[in-house]
Amino acid sequence: MRDTAFLRLWAGTTASGLATWALPFVLGLAVLHRDLGAAGLGLVLAARTAGFLLAVAVGGVLADRHSRRAVVLWSALAAAVAAPLLALGLGRSLLLMTAAAALAGAGQGACRPAFQALTAETVAPERRQQANAAMTTAVRASTLAGPALTALLAAFLDVSTLLLGIGLLWLVAALVPGKGAAAAAAPAAAADPADIASPRRPGFRAEFLDGIREARRHPWFLAGLAALVAVIALGYSATSVALPLISRDRYGTEWVLAAAMTAYTVGALGGGLVMARWQFRSQGWAAFAGLAAYGVAPLSLMLPVHPVVVVAAYAVAGIGIELFNVPWFTATQREVAPDKLARVSSLDFLVSYGLAPVGLALIAPAIERFGVTAVLAACAAACFLVPAAAAALVPTARHFATRPTPPTPPTRG
């Protein structure tokens, strides 16, 4: 945090994360104030997700073709422009709000792989784990403090003003980060000589497929994506649907729902702080163990336990998710060819964000047909078994590295 270049990048990333989190919350306030209907809210959020998924792939290619800093600038500016358009359409035009939400999602999606690649350009390799931990800790802290702050602001400001505030956050994300120190050197150093000799750049589709080929060169990365699919599309989706139902029907109170989600965020914040100081000898195995720990959340919901056990399980799940995230991002920045880093990162975000709606759409009918206990049991088993299988069956998964030896010894900073 004493590094000015990193501090600027951290501030921009934090602002983008806070703006990303705040939009659905503020739109929810619009429903409460009757400025937006429930069906309209669903349409606007769906448009935002669609814009994100389309732009995250495009943004990955653009961030590898051009300056990562420029991609961050223009994508964040697009999201900033979307905010006043949302405010203008509020209560007047659902069509305008839907188009603005798609633009906001596109700006958010294009930013994500560019920020990942810009972190690798700004921070020296030996400090990237601490940098990634600082990034994720800031996002978790914003998620924890954000609802109270937004509710406080809503007592004095209307929804349109809050939307304009989200636009200001995107302006911070666009203007504050500096240019990565390695921006000019890294892509050229890793470029294929055949590409340099060619008078014409390959097409957009070819470059995206080239990013997929780069991802396939790293078996540990493919194993991690498979584990993420199991945890996000099954475990996270199942708990998102089941937790409100069980909080209401089994415990008869909304307190369990609120406490569990808060415990998850607090646990993730603690996990980020741990990863800022610790490096494990077998970082891949430790990361997969952390990811598998999410299985305790659906497991606690299928058993007739005291609500405190459910809250504790969510705290453990939160810790585990950051034990995976921080070394995962760090290894991707270290192992992937610099000129393909944004495209490979975009695949990570496509899986992480793209499969969540699919899982949510399938889990509810499955619960109706097979019962909540059976679905939670299957999802918990998937959360435990798929990361364990990935760690056991893929040799390079042990260290998140293509070479067989660990990149760093265990340390405590």
Side-chain angles (χ1 to χ4, degrees), residues 59-386:
V61 174
L62 292 178
D64 283 338
R65 274 188 177 186
H66 307 290
S67 163
R68 278 80 184 260
R69 178 65 188 89
V71 173
V72 167
L73 172 65
W74 292 108
S75 56
L77 285 177
V81 169
L85 293 178
L86 282 166
L88 183 62
L90 189 64
R92 300 181 184 90
S93 172
L94 181 59
L95 179 61
L96 177 59
M97 291 194 69
T98 302
L103 180 61
Q108 174 197 346
C111 265
R112 295 303 296 269
F115 267 128
Q116 283 292 314
L118 195 57
T119 300
E121 292 181 355
T122 303
V123 183
E126 65 273 10
R127 301 175 66 185
R128 285 178 191 160
Q129 177 162 319
Q130 287 82 2
N132 288 314
M135 298 283 196
T136 190
T137 299
V139 172
R140 299 299 183 180
S142 299
T143 305
L144 188 63
L149 177 61
T150 305
L152 178 63
L153 292 174
F156 304 97
L157 305 173
D158 59 21
V159 174
S160 295
T161 304
L162 292 175
L163 288 171
L164 294 178
I166 292 175
L168 291 177
L169 287 173
W170 278 115
L171 282 178
V172 172
L175 301 177
V176 169
K179 184 178 180 180
D192 190 327
D195 293 339
I196 296 174
S198 176
R200 297 175 58 185
R201 294 191 67 101
F204 184 91
R205 178 175 176 273
E207 290 203 354
F208 182 75
L209 292 176
D210 195 30
I212 295 178
R213 284 190 291 271
E214 171 64 20
R216 292 174 60 187
R217 287 202 316 111
H218 305 280
W220 61 267
F221 184 83
L222 299 181
L225 286 184
L228 281 171
V229 168
V231 172
I232 293 174
L234 296 177
Y236 185 81
S237 297
T239 54
S240 296
V241 174
L243 178 60
L245 298 176
I246 290 174
S247 179
R248 180 196 66 192
D249 298 339
R250 180 186 298 169
Y251 300 109
T253 175
E254 296 178 354
W255 174 86
V256 177
L257 170 63
M261 296 309 299
T262 302
Y264 178 82
T265 304
V266 172
L269 181 61
L273 293 174
V274 168
M275 294 310 298
R277 301 184 63 84
W278 283 90
Q279 290 185 9
F280 298 99
R281 181 178 295 276
S282 299
Q283 61 174 339
W285 284 359
F288 278 121
L291 188 62
Y294 193 88
V296 302
L299 186 64
S300 70
L301 295 178
M302 62 176 287
L303 300 174
V305 296
H306 193 277
V308 173
V309 177
V310 175
V311 174
Y314 269 79
V316 171
I319 294 172
I321 206 69
E322 293 307 332
L323 294 183
F324 176 84
N325 280 339
V326 174
W328 171 257
F329 292 144
T330 305
T332 304
Q333 293 160 354
R334 181 188 67 241
E335 297 292 321
V336 173
D339 62 320
K340 300 178 179 67
L341 176 56
R343 278 169 283 178
V344 174
S345 295
S346 72
L347 295 175
D348 179 13
F349 295 125
L350 278 172
V351 170
S352 301
Y353 289 87
L355 291 179
V358 176
L360 289 170
L362 296 177
I363 289 296
I367 289 177
E368 291 182 1
R369 176 161 186 173
F370 301 106
V372 65
T373 301
V375 171
L376 287 172
C379 292
C383 289
F384 290 131
L385 295 178
V386 177

Side-chain angles (χ1 to χ4, degrees), residues 6-113:
F6 171 72
L7 184 59
R8 292 176 62 182
L9 177 63
W10 176 86
T13 306
T14 301
S16 72
L18 185 56
T20 297
W21 167 87
L23 182 57
F25 190 88
V26 172
L27 291 176
L29 292 178
V31 174
L32 294 178
H33 295 171
R34 303 186 185 279
D35 294 322
L36 183 66
L41 175 63
L43 180 62
V44 169
L45 292 180
R48 180 201 187 204
T49 301
F52 175 91
L53 293 176
L54 177 63
V56 74
V58 176
V61 174
L62 292 178
D64 283 338
R65 274 188 177 186
H66 307 290
S67 163
R68 278 80 184 260
R69 178 65 188 89
V71 173
V72 167
L73 172 65
W74 292 108
S75 56
L77 285 177
V81 169
L85 293 178
L86 282 166
L88 183 62
L90 189 64
R92 300 181 184 90
S93 172
L94 181 59
L95 179 61
L96 177 59
M97 291 194 69
T98 302
L103 180 61
Q108 174 197 346
C111 265
R112 295 303 296 269

